[in-house]
Amino acid sequence: MTYSLLILAHVLADFSFQTEKLSKNKQLSFLALMKHLLIVFLTSLVLTFYYFSEQLLLVILTITLFHGIIDYCKIYLSWKLAERKAKTGNYKLEIFIVDQILHILVILLTVPLFTLQGNLYLILMYNDLKDIFQWLGVFNTSRVLFITITASVVIFNFKGSTIITRAVLERYKSDINNKAGKGKAIGNLERLLIILFVILESYSLIGLLFTAKSLIRFKEIEEKKVGEGFVEYYLLGSITSIFLAVLTGSIINIFKYLW
């Protein structure tokens, strides 16, 4: 369960607790990067406090250190590629994906190096609380694992999938108006619905959602109120968004039996 808690901590620190302002500032300021790493450390510590020990502190410090190294390398690489953008093209998508894979790998490779066990005092405290509040017994190890996995997937879809979709679309220029705020909100709701459909195994509803979304745009396309490249641009964004939602929603489905 430590793995899922640390992955949730990473998702929260990188997407929920890292504002766009902090994300931009850490590319220019070492202090901003340290602030982000402090958020990573504290989020990981709070979520894994049940295992509190010297070993846990070493695990979190190791993960935070490598998180900083990966982020610094990402920033440095982004600078170098920005200088040669005309020759090399846009690599935001690849950099983002590799960055996230490396963060997860660090967690998966670091935890086995240490022995983590539930803190005896916290276990006794939890058992005492269960005697008073019997509903706490619902939260056994399997269900907490399922909850953390589900939370990680949902949080990632609210921001991480948006970043990937926009990075894909940046490669294909279009003359459509910039409606980033509305597009982000619609995309988040769309992916949330798809995740729900995948969990409920109602896959036909995904097709219905995509059809309904397309019909709304059909009139604009038919009357040529949009640019020539809009159809391809629209399909590319929609398919990317749906693919990410189905892929991550399937992760929840794999662990659904834990509940």
Side-chain angles (χ1 to χ4, degrees), residues 15-221:
F15 300 120
S16 295
F17 301 151
Q18 181 176 215
T19 62
E20 290 188 17
K21 182 179 179 181
L22 178 59
S23 179
K24 290 177 181 178
N25 286 345
K26 75 177 186 181
Q27 298 181 40
L28 305 171
S29 167
F30 182 73
L31 186 62
L33 177 59
M34 294 304 295
K35 181 180 178 181
H36 174 60
L37 294 181
L38 180 61
I39 292 172
V40 172
F41 178 84
L42 292 177
T43 306
S44 301
L45 183 61
V46 169
L47 288 183
T48 57
F49 196 72
Y50 181 79
Y51 300 94
F52 185 77
S53 65
E54 290 182 4
Q55 292 281 301
L56 176 65
L57 288 175
L58 287 173
V59 168
I60 297 175
L61 283 170
T62 302
I63 290 171
T64 304
L65 174 63
F66 278 99
H67 192 109
I69 293 171
I70 292 168
D71 274 11
Y72 180 81
C73 292
K74 176 187 174 184
I75 292 167
Y76 180 78
L77 184 60
S78 297
W79 282 346
K80 287 297 181 183
L81 290 176
E83 292 173 359
R84 299 185 296 171
K85 186 176 179 180
K87 295 181 180 179
T88 62
N90 189 334
Y91 287 96
K92 285 184 180 179
L93 177 63
E94 287 83 354
I95 292 173
F96 176 79
I97 292 174
V98 171
D99 171 69
Q100 292 304 310
I101 289 174
L102 289 175
H103 286 314
I104 299 301
L105 279 176
V106 166
I107 293 171
L108 297 179
L109 294 175
T110 301
V111 174
L113 299 177
F114 300 88
T115 304
L116 296 177
Q117 296 178 339
N119 186 286
L120 180 60
Y121 297 105
L122 292 174
I123 292 172
L124 292 173
M125 185 185 298
Y126 178 68
N127 289 334
D128 288 339
L129 286 173
K130 278 200 299 183
D131 292 337
I132 301 172
F133 306 102
Q134 295 184 0
W135 57 269
L136 286 174
V138 172
F139 297 102
N140 55 36
T141 303
S142 296
R143 287 181 175 177
V144 171
L145 177 59
F146 176 74
I147 290 169
T148 53
I149 291 168
T150 303
S152 298
V153 168
V154 171
I155 293 167
F156 175 80
N157 271 275
F158 266 62
K159 194 168 182 182
S161 291
T162 301
I163 293 171
I164 293 175
T165 303
R166 286 182 178 177
V168 170
L169 292 177
E170 271 188 27
R171 296 190 178 187
Y172 302 89
K173 302 300 179 183
S174 170
D175 60 350
I176 64 170
N177 294 326
N178 181 20
K179 299 178 181 178
K182 293 180 181 178
K184 181 179 178 181
I186 293 169
N188 286 340
L189 289 172
E190 176 187 288
R191 286 187 289 271
L192 195 58
L193 280 172
I194 291 171
I195 290 169
L196 180 61
F197 295 157
V198 171
I199 293 172
L200 296 175
E201 299 182 9
S202 301
Y203 303 107
S204 58
L205 292 176
I206 298 174
L208 185 63
L209 176 65
F210 184 68
T211 302
K213 183 181 175 183
S214 299
L215 285 172
I216 293 170
R217 291 292 191 181
F218 178 75
K219 190 174 182 180
E220 290 180 320
I221 295 170

